[in-house]
Amino acid sequence: MKKTIYIAAFTFLGILLQFLIHALVEIWYIGLLTQDFSRYSWGFSWSQWFLIHHIGTVILLVAGIFFGFWQGKFWWHRIYEHD
């Protein structure tokens, strides 16, 4: 039970970390888009940028879950099951 809670907490931490990364990237890049859309849009429209946002959100969420789960397993083994 302790191991499950430990790994779940790390998974949650991975999700929180990806939200932070997502927010920082979006704040930065949307700032660039609103300053000079024609320069920073790479030829995409706003609707295409919304699609890119949704795809990026899913990719980051899955990456955060996997990263947190992997780190939870890694540190559990390192701390509690050391050889």
Side-chain angles (χ1 to χ4, degrees):
M1 181 69 166
K2 182 178 174 182
K3 182 178 181 179
T4 302
I5 293 171
Y6 187 88
I7 293 173
F10 257 95
T11 303
F12 184 67
L13 181 63
I15 292 169
L16 290 177
L17 180 61
Q18 75 80 26
F19 275 129
L20 180 63
I21 291 168
H22 188 163
L24 292 173
V25 168
E26 277 202 10
I27 289 168
W28 168 70
Y29 206 78
I30 288 174
L32 291 177
L33 287 173
T34 56
Q35 280 180 344
D36 190 358
F37 186 78
S38 61
R39 181 175 175 192
Y40 295 109
S41 69
W42 296 346
F44 296 126
S45 67
W46 276 110
S47 63
Q48 290 170 322
W49 275 109
F50 281 120
L51 179 63
I52 291 168
H53 163 75
H54 292 304
I55 292 169
T57 298
V58 171
I59 290 170
L60 279 172
L61 180 61
V62 170
I65 290 168
F66 279 126
F67 180 73
F69 183 78
W70 172 63
Q71 285 293 294
K73 289 183 68 85
F74 175 81
W75 289 108
W76 177 267
H77 178 73
R78 188 81 177 223
I79 294 171
Y80 295 106
E81 296 175 355
H82 50 73
D83 296 345

